[in-house]
Amino acid sequence: MLVPVVLAFPLGTVAVFRYGADRRVTADVIAWVYSLGLFGAFTTAFWPLAGLRSWSRSERVESAVLLFVIVSYATHLTWELGWLLLHERIAGARDAAWAYGWWAYIDGGDRRYATAPVELRTIETLSVANGLVGATALWLWWRSAGRDARAVLLIMATAVVHLYSTSYYYLTEVLAGFPNVDTTSFTATVVKFGLANAPWLTMPWLVLWWGWRRVWGLAREPEGAALSRSR
């Protein structure tokens, strides 16, 4: 499910700048592939697939959670970090192939990424910091084979930040009357601005539920195993 998501931006860039495809139509296609691809990827663990019939509910939830946080932290440390460092150059490079990965979203989705208001730069700074914390948490998780509760608590903390920053991102635009979104376009409004960001407002609740159960399970281990134990 994630392969089309990963390939959408580079293939879209090639289509626009090598073969002359319409940049707005291509951006809309990318938005649909990205949004539906993420939805499919994050929910696959719950599908009635033959290969998953033996999975318990806990295993399905953990699979979905880990995939979500990996995608989240990777996004924070690539697309968002790139924008944070290069937003001035990106704003002036609308017709450059290297910047189309950002302009595919800016075109119709959210013009704030072209004007870079301080509120958006603050949100993205928070997101990049969240990605660094999350990457540390994943390192602790894999290093301890899932036994280190510090990793779980850090992942839960990043979920809280996701809820705050995404809510703030949505509300600052919605309450202002959508001045930066092309509301004449269903794809730009519902898919590009709405659905593409929705996982960061929904999946964190699953992360928190999983984390609470995971920490509680570690706390109840025999022989008073320490929550922060690492192997």
Side-chain angles (χ1 to χ4, degrees):
M1 284 292 183
L2 286 179
V3 173
V5 174
V6 173
L7 294 179
F9 286 96
L11 290 180
T13 300
V14 171
V16 171
F17 291 92
R18 184 174 181 84
Y19 296 104
D22 184 277
R23 61 181 295 132
R24 291 295 292 269
V25 172
T26 303
D28 286 350
V29 172
I30 291 174
W32 278 98
V33 171
Y34 180 86
S35 300
L36 296 180
L38 287 186
F39 175 81
F42 295 153
T43 60
T44 298
F46 303 103
W47 292 6
L49 301 176
L52 303 180
R53 287 175 183 168
S54 63
W55 285 26
S56 66
R57 183 179 66 172
S58 295
E59 289 174 323
R60 291 173 183 267
V61 169
E62 183 162 284
S63 175
V65 164
L66 291 177
L67 180 60
F68 167 71
V69 296
I70 289 171
V71 170
S72 295
Y73 306 151
T75 301
H76 296 330
L77 299 177
T78 54
W79 195 92
E80 290 174 283
L81 176 59
W83 179 83
L84 195 62
L85 296 174
L86 303 171
H87 60 269
E88 293 181 352
R89 290 186 60 193
I90 291 169
R94 184 177 184 274
D95 296 319
W98 70 267
Y100 187 68
W102 291 278
W103 274 98
Y105 183 69
I106 296 171
D107 284 337
D110 194 337
R111 289 284 303 178
R112 288 180 292 181
Y113 281 93
T115 58
V118 66
E119 295 85 0
L120 184 59
R121 281 181 280 136
T122 300
I123 292 173
E124 295 298 2
T125 299
L126 185 62
S127 292
V128 170
N130 212 34
L132 292 172
V133 171
T136 302
L138 286 178
W139 177 78
L140 289 172
W141 172 268
W142 296 117
R143 180 173 175 270
S144 67
R147 309 302 304 173
D148 192 337
R150 294 173 300 178
V152 180
L153 293 172
L154 284 174
I155 290 172
M156 292 174 71
T158 65
V160 174
V161 176
H162 284 138
L163 288 172
Y164 170 78
S165 59
T166 308
S167 298
Y168 185 81
Y169 172 75
Y170 273 133
L171 288 173
T172 50
E173 183 66 13
V174 172
L175 295 179
F178 294 99
N180 300 289
V181 178
D182 181 8
T183 55
T184 65
S185 167
F186 176 87
T187 296
T189 307
V190 176
V191 180
K192 195 177 293 186
F193 177 75
L195 295 181
N197 297 292
W200 284 267
L201 202 58
T202 55
M203 288 297 292
W205 297 105
L206 188 65
V207 174
L208 293 173
W209 183 81
W210 162 82
W212 175 80
R213 288 178 59 87
R214 189 74 183 183
V215 171
W216 179 249
L218 289 172
R220 297 182 63 188
E221 283 188 338
E223 300 179 4
L227 286 183
S228 61
R229 184 177 62 178
S230 163
R231 291 178 181 176

